[in-house]
Amino acid sequence: MNIPQSLTVEQKDEILFVKINRPEKRNAINDELILGIETVFSNIPEGVKCAIIYGEGKHFSAGLDLSELKERDIVEGLNHSRMWHRALEKVQFGKVPVVAVVHGACVGGGLEIASACHIRVAEQTTFYALPEGQRGIFVGGGASVRLPKLIGMARMTDMMLTGRVITAEEGVLVGLSQYLVSEGSGLEKGVELAKKIASNAGMTNYALMHVLPRIVDSGQSEGLMLESLMATISSSTPEAQGRLRDFLEGRAKKVGE
Ligand code: 1HE
């Protein structure tokens, strides 16, 4: 596997830790890094049930490495954006759910990476922005499709038109993150969530990753049919049957336990 030095990958039991490790450039994402992300998420090792992506240093990521933008022609620009799309499709529609743990700057392409993940945990230091507007460019890593689903089109438009910076506290209120934790405790929270995710039935995680987004993108009638099909398939797996029996015979945890 061709993984650059700026990406550190480590498997511990059922969790894969993926660290963006380029703190001297505030984890700005160059071509090598985005290709590395594609490789890692295309080759999730056997036994891994959840991945966590996070950043080294004071920031999650400063977004696209702007030094690589200078001399691209139009076709190269299109290929570059499509490369990001390909890589982040592997994150969103890969083999396992991905938790993003963010802190400091989570901006531009950094926010696009976080948006492709299934859950976001933000430390208090986090700030979100889409500086593309200020740089005279447009988002190119999938934000126009994924972000409005998290925060709505009006908020994304505001972020780009005015350069608005969203704080960690605002972020959890508007749906950018699902958890807000104190500085330095993001990874611990990420691991706690990853362990819960890893203990789910495989079919449930598969449905949430691969079917729910398609239902959301469908019309009501197609969506409801997809839901019925998925509900029927999932409840007839031996794993689901076992879990239902465990509950009915008093062996399973109650809600909240
Ligand atoms: C970079 C980048 C970068 C830092 N590309 N080199 N993203 C942005 O427009 C965000 C630009 N970055 C910043 O606003 C700030 O760097 C931060 C707020 C993130 C962090 O500030 P700070 O004070 O901690 O660091 P710094 O001093 O600004 O940066 C340290 C070094 O990292 C410095 O290089 P040095 O050689 O002078 O030490 C910076 O030049 C470098 N650096 N950010 C390249 N982004 C798929 S399309 C997505 C489109 C986008 O993501 S556009 C948004 C780009």
Side-chain angles (χ1 to χ4, degrees):
M1 260 203 288
N2 201 6
I3 299 173
Q5 280 194 336
S6 47
L7 207 55
T8 311
V9 184
E10 196 185 349
Q11 179 177 355
K12 281 193 204 143
D13 302 321
E14 295 178 321
I15 305 176
L16 193 71
F17 293 83
V18 182
K19 180 165 72 173
I20 306 173
N21 196 1
R22 203 185 173 214
E24 70 287 357
K25 292 287 176 194
R26 306 308 183 253
N27 295 329
I29 310 291
N30 54 16
D31 287 1
E32 184 181 74
L33 249 169
I34 197 69
L35 287 170
I37 288 175
E38 182 182 8
T39 303
V40 169
F41 286 94
S42 305
N43 295 281
I44 298 288
E46 209 52 45
V48 167
K49 293 195 173 160
C50 187
I52 299 178
I53 188 163
Y54 64 111
E56 175 65 33
K58 287 215 154 60
H59 303 282
F60 173 69
S61 171
L64 180 67
D65 186 329
L66 293 169
S67 68
E68 288 192 351
L69 246 191
K70 283 183 302 220
E71 282 161 21
R72 275 196 192 117
D73 69 19
I74 290 178
V75 174
E76 285 166 348
L78 271 169
N79 281 326
H80 176 263
S81 170
R82 299 300 287 162
M83 173 174 75
W84 272 70
H85 289 172
R86 227 175 43 232
L88 297 190
E89 283 263 322
K90 300 289 184 196
V91 174
Q92 183 179 3
F93 295 117
K95 209 165 122 192
V96 296
V98 186
V99 177
V101 174
V102 301
H103 70 294
C106 179
V107 306
L111 181 51
E112 292 185 302
I113 293 172
S115 307
C117 299
H118 302 91
I119 294 180
R120 283 149 295 280
V121 174
E123 293 191 0
Q124 285 284 357
T125 56
T126 308
F127 57 96
Y128 309 91
L130 291 171
E132 285 88 340
Q134 278 57 54
R135 310 272 176 250
I137 55 178
F138 191 61
V139 291
S144 61
V145 171
R146 294 192 181 97
L147 260 189
K149 287 182 182 153
L150 295 180
I151 63 173
M153 190 172 81
R155 285 199 185 90
M156 177 175 172
T157 306
D158 180 24
M159 287 173 81
M160 289 198 71
L161 282 179
T162 66
R164 181 169 182 165
V165 175
I166 296 186
T167 63
E169 286 80 9
E170 289 168 340
V172 75
L173 292 177
V174 301
L176 278 171
S177 82
Q178 284 63 56
Y179 299 88
L180 176 61
V181 297
S182 61
E183 183 174 0
S185 66
L187 205 51
E188 192 188 327
K189 184 70 185 178
V191 170
E192 178 197 321
L193 299 174
K195 284 184 178 163
K196 288 188 182 165
I197 292 167
S199 72
N200 288 340
M203 185 58 86
T204 300
N205 285 350
Y206 184 89
L208 288 167
M209 291 178 66
H210 295 277
V211 183
L212 178 62
R214 281 154 174 126
I215 291 176
V216 171
D217 283 344
S218 321
Q220 172 153 322
S221 158
E222 298 81 2
L224 290 175
M225 177 54 82
L226 273 171
E227 181 185 278
S228 294
L229 292 171
M230 196 62 238
T232 310
I233 293 168
S234 61
S235 61
S236 35
T237 59
E239 165 112 35
Q241 295 292 323
R243 286 176 181 238
L244 295 173
R245 245 190 336 269
D246 283 348
F247 177 75
L248 295 172
E249 292 166 14
R251 287 186 299 273
K253 285 184 182 168
K254 294 183 185 175
V255 172
E257 279 181 345

